[in-house]
């Protein structure tokens, strides 16, 4: 598929979202639909967190502000803002850098006014931007990373700009244009963009020992990575550098990470002796000669840290919090594995094994290697083998991030072929691991855990012995029940998005599904929902009523605080269960009499 064909396909997806919303009695601007498509992609491929649409284009105090969406990390230490430039064109068009910079500046103005509290004081608490303004104001000083993404269906000359300083914090500017989005779609993994030149960041190739592979899996190199180089790479790429890692950064309070911090501060020259090092994978590598004529590592393409994310992040955050630390004296042992495999499934298995066996600093739980757990492998098999009642369509279980796009790229050899595949496996019937955990947890009565965010919810889902994951039946009947729960959640989410709910739409959705399950779990026919592949109009109408009441209950419980924070508390769910809601009407087909 060419870039032009990909653009036409993307615009088709956008227009379908708009028409679907109109068919449901709502309204969705094409710019908002395009934003949703791109933000969902960035979230699914690990480049950002749970994304939320928030469309703002207004003047405040004579300054134009623009924002189309945002994402906040689970620990509220990283913030991404999205601003969209949408042309709605079916041919690839260029966009001047000046227009991109102007949109970025409008978004940066929003950020600055939110950070100093100006916006929260200027807008009404019922405004859809109010909660985000409070969040930014309250956590701005603690943010470790801030990014602004300019997303567009046109093609830009410049993909990233120099960081800007806003209210004392450095803000990175990145562009996700149609060309970059196409590369992600066709290549299936955003790490393909990570080209690291050690000649650029270190001044020369770094000395290494290179060992060509004796089989078809990988080549091998050993080196000592300069501490400043690791810090710079983490500053530049952040979580993207650790996408293939089995864990995110665990904070500096853990025993091992505290030891790393103390060594950096007190004995940086001994870091290499004390530290077990890191393990990198890459898709390509280049070697040259160092100044003394020995073998040197020049650059890596597709670099990822699969073991040593804790070490890397600890170096970065220690330097940030203690600028006096001398990283010039720090060397980190590094094992570099240059992969030969290009099959995503085989590559994921190899990376999982590398992570499992290489890690020796913070113990890897079985739940960390989530994609390769039997639970997910069996669900993937069930999804491949179980057809919808029409005998043609199926649901797609995305066990590995990006595998849906990889499948389309591999099997969709022509636009007609892609169209046919998407008819059988439409994006609306794609479920990721984190999505599944959200659907099951909500239906099992854990909306407070769902409200913690996708990653924390998923961790609880996989690791807690009391999690509903332990009771899932991994057979065809059990799979159909899971899909029915997904249908209920997705339908509820659509209803909430189409409603007049300015804030906490994700929380309203999770709590509405959990409340419904509490009331009807024993008498609802999930099989009938599977057979229909939707919920009935009668159930939809009742869900709309409950969602409206849920919005009121959550607001009252929050008492002026942020609803998203209140919703994370078990006390919130307790109060919701004791609140008064409308009675369930007769005539809902899914419910037994």
């Amino acid at each position: 598929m060419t870039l032009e064909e990909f653009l036409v396909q993307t615009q088709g997806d956008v227009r379908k979202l708009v028409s679907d919303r109109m068919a449901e009695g709502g309204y969705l601007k094409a710019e908002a639909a395009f934003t949703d498509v791109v933000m969902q992609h960035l979230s699914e491929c690990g480049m950002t967190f749970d994304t939320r649409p928030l469309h703002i284009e207004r003047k405040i105090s004579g300054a134009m502000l623009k924002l189309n969406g945002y994402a906040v990390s689970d620990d509220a230490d990283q913030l991404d803002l999205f601003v969209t430039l949408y042309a709605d064109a079916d041919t690839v068009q260029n966009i001047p850098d000046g227009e991109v910079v102007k949109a970025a500046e409008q978004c940066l103005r929003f950020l600055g006014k939110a950070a100093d509290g100006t916006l929260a004081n200027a807008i009404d608490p019922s405004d859809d931007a109010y909660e985000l303004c409070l969040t930014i104001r309250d956590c701005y000083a603690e943010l470790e990373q801030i990014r602004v993404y300019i997303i567009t269906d046109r093609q830009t000359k410049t993909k990233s700009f120099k960081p800007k300083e806003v209210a004392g914090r450095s803000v990175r500017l990145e562009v996700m244009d149609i060309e970059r989005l196409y590369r992600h779609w066709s290549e299936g993994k955003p790490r393909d963009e990570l080209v690291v030149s050690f000649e650029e960041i270190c001044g020369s190739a770094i000395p290494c020992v290179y060992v060509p592979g004796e089989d078809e899996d990988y080549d091998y190199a050993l080196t000592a990575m300069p501490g400043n180089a690791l810090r710079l790479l983490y500053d530049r790429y952040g979580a993207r550098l650790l996408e293939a890692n089995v864990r995110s950064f665990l904070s500096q309070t853990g025993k091992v990470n505290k030891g790393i911090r103390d060594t950096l501060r007190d004995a940086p020259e001994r870091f290499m002796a004390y530290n077990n090092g890191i393990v990198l994978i890459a898709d390509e590598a280049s070697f040259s000669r160092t100044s003394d004529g020995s073998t040197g590592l020049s650059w890596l393409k597709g670099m990822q840290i699969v073991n040593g994310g804790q070490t890397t992040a600890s170096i970065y955050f220690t330097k940030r919090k203690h600028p006096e630390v001398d990283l010039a004296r720090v060397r980190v042992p590094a094992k570099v594995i240059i992969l030969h495999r290009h099959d995503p499934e085989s590559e994921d298995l190899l990376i999982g094994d590398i992570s499992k066996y290489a890690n020796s600093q913070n113990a890897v739980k079985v739940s960390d290697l989530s994609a390769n757990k039997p639970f997910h492998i069996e669900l993937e098999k069930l999804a491949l083998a179980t057809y919808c009642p029409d005998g043609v369509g199926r649901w797609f279980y995305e066990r590995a991030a990006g595998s849906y796009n990889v499948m389309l790229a591999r099997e969709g050899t022509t636009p007609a072929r892609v169209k046919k595949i998407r008819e059988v496996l439409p994006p609306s019937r794609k479920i990721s691991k984190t999505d599944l955990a959200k659907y099951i947890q909500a239906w099992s009565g854990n909306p407070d855990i769902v409200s913690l965010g996708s990653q924390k919810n998923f961790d609880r889902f996989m690791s807690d012995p009391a999690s509903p994951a332990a009771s899932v039946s991994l057979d065809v009947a059990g799979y159909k029940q899971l899909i029915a729960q997904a249908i209920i959640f997705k339908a509820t989410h659509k209803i909430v998005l189409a409603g007049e709910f300015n804030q906490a739409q994700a929380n309203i959705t999770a709590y509405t599904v959990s409340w419904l399950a509490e009331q009807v779990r024993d008498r609802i026919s999930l099989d009938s929902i599977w057979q229909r592949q939707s919920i009935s109009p009668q159930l939809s109408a009742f869900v709309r009523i409950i969602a409206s009441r849920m919005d009121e209950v959550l607001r009252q419980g929050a008492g002026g605080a942020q609803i998203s924070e209140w919703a994370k508390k078990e006390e919130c769910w307790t109060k919701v269960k004791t609140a008064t809601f409308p009675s369930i009407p007769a005539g809902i087909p899914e419910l037994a009499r």
Side-chain angles (χ1 to χ4, degrees), residues 302-313:
M303 172 179 159
Q304 290 275 281
I305 297 175
V306 297
N307 170 244
Q310 310 304 304
T311 295
T312 304

Side-chain angles (χ1 to χ4, degrees), residues 34 63 87 195 222 249 267 274 317 323 388 440 495 509 521 545:
F34 177 73
V195 179
L222 287 174
F249 182 51
Y274 291 170
F317 288 114
C388 295
I440 297 176
I495 290 167
T509 300
R521 187 181 291 112
I545 293 170

Side-chain angles (χ1 to χ4, degrees), residues 499-570:
E500 300 298 322
F501 308 107
N502 292 332
Q503 299 176 27
Q505 295 170 329
N507 306 116
I508 294 170
T509 300
Y511 272 82
T512 298
V513 170
S514 290
W515 183 91
L516 181 67
E518 287 284 310
Q519 306 302 312
V520 305
R521 187 181 291 112
D522 295 335
R523 60 192 184 100
I524 194 169
S525 172
L526 294 177
D527 185 61
S528 69
I529 294 174
W530 163 263
Q531 290 295 328
R532 188 186 291 112
Q533 290 291 294
S534 65
I535 63 175
S536 66
Q538 295 92 328
L539 182 55
S540 292
F542 182 58
V543 166
R544 191 171 291 108
I545 293 170
I546 296 304
S548 181
R549 173 59 181 152
M550 189 63 69
D551 179 41
E552 296 173 355
V553 172
L554 290 176
R555 286 176 183 276
Q556 292 168 1
Q562 295 180 46
I563 298 172
S564 59
E565 291 302 312
W566 166 241
K568 296 175 182 179
K569 302 179 184 296
E570 188 176 353

Side-chain angles (χ1 to χ4, degrees), residues 119-179:
L119 271 180
N121 294 331
I123 62 179
D124 191 89
S126 63
D127 193 294
D128 52 0
Y130 185 72
E131 186 167 1
L132 175 61
C133 291
L134 286 181
T135 298
I136 294 175
R137 184 196 68 186
D138 294 344
C139 73
Y140 196 76
E142 304 301 323
L143 288 173
E144 298 289 356
Q145 175 178 273
I146 309 169
R147 295 179 294 191
V148 168
Y149 280 99
I150 299 91
I151 57 180
T152 177
D153 59 339
R154 287 176 281 175
Q155 192 170 21
T156 62
K157 178 181 179 181
T158 307
K159 305 302 182 188
S160 63
F161 295 84
K162 291 182 179 179
K164 300 286 186 178
E165 186 170 303
V166 177
R169 315 295 290 178
S170 178
V171 182
R172 287 163 49 191
L173 302 179
E174 293 198 38
V175 180
M176 180 60 70
D177 67 348
I178 195 65
E179 180 187 22

Side-chain angles (χ1 to χ4, degrees), residues 263-486:
T263 301
L264 289 169
R265 296 178 63 186
D266 302 332
E269 71 283 353
R270 297 185 180 181
F271 193 88
M272 187 164 176
Y274 291 170
N275 191 268
N276 287 337
I278 63 177
V279 180
L280 314 176
I281 59 167
D283 296 315
E284 295 179 30
S286 175
F287 298 91
S288 61
R289 294 294 173 183
T290 63
S291 56
D292 64 0
S294 61
T295 301
L297 180 60
S298 298
W299 56 257
L300 294 171
K301 178 181 179 183
M303 172 179 159
Q304 290 275 281
I305 297 175
V306 297
N307 170 244
Q310 310 304 304
T311 295
T312 304
S314 290
I315 289 173
Y316 173 79
F317 288 114
T318 297
K319 181 65 175 178
R320 277 191 66 119
K321 294 178 181 178
H322 306 282
E324 72 278 5
V325 168
D326 185 9
L327 292 184
R329 301 164 67 191
V330 173
R331 293 292 183 274
V332 183
K335 180 165 60 176
V336 184
I337 297 171
I338 303 103
L339 301 173
H340 291 174
R341 297 185 178 186
H342 299 290
D343 174 65
E345 184 172 349
S346 298
E347 185 179 90
D348 285 340
L349 289 171
L350 178 60
I351 292 172
D353 286 341
I354 292 169
S355 301
K356 178 179 178 181
Y357 294 112
N359 194 294
S360 60
Q361 291 188 23
N362 288 298
V364 180
K365 299 177 182 177
V366 177
S367 60
D368 290 330
L369 303 170
S370 56
N372 299 320
K373 282 183 67 70
F375 179 88
H376 299 291
I377 292 173
E378 288 303 314
L379 277 176
E380 184 182 53
K381 290 178 180 177
L382 286 165
L384 290 169
T386 307
Y387 285 82
C388 295
D390 63 7
V392 177
R394 285 186 288 115
W395 285 72
F396 188 93
Y397 186 60
E398 194 170 50
R399 180 172 66 86
S403 59
Y404 179 82
N405 288 341
V406 170
M407 178 272 298
L408 285 177
R410 182 188 298 141
E411 300 181 18
T413 52
T414 65
R417 178 63 178 158
V418 170
K419 182 180 179 181
K420 185 175 181 180
I421 295 171
R422 289 165 68 90
E423 288 173 354
V424 174
L425 291 165
S428 61
R429 289 208 295 258
K430 179 187 69 173
I431 299 178
S432 69
K433 298 188 297 296
T434 52
D435 286 340
L436 184 79
K438 180 170 58 178
Y439 304 152
I440 297 176
Q441 289 274 52
W443 189 254
S444 300
N446 299 313
D448 50 326
I449 297 176
V450 174
S451 297
L452 293 174
S454 62
Q455 290 303 319
K456 287 187 176 180
N457 175 61
F458 181 76
D459 289 344
R460 297 277 192 94
F461 179 72
M462 294 303 301
S463 60
D464 190 340
S467 164
S471 60
V472 172
S473 298
L474 294 175
D475 54 24
V476 173
Y479 172 76
K480 291 179 178 179
Q481 288 201 337
L482 295 184
I483 297 301
Q485 294 171 29

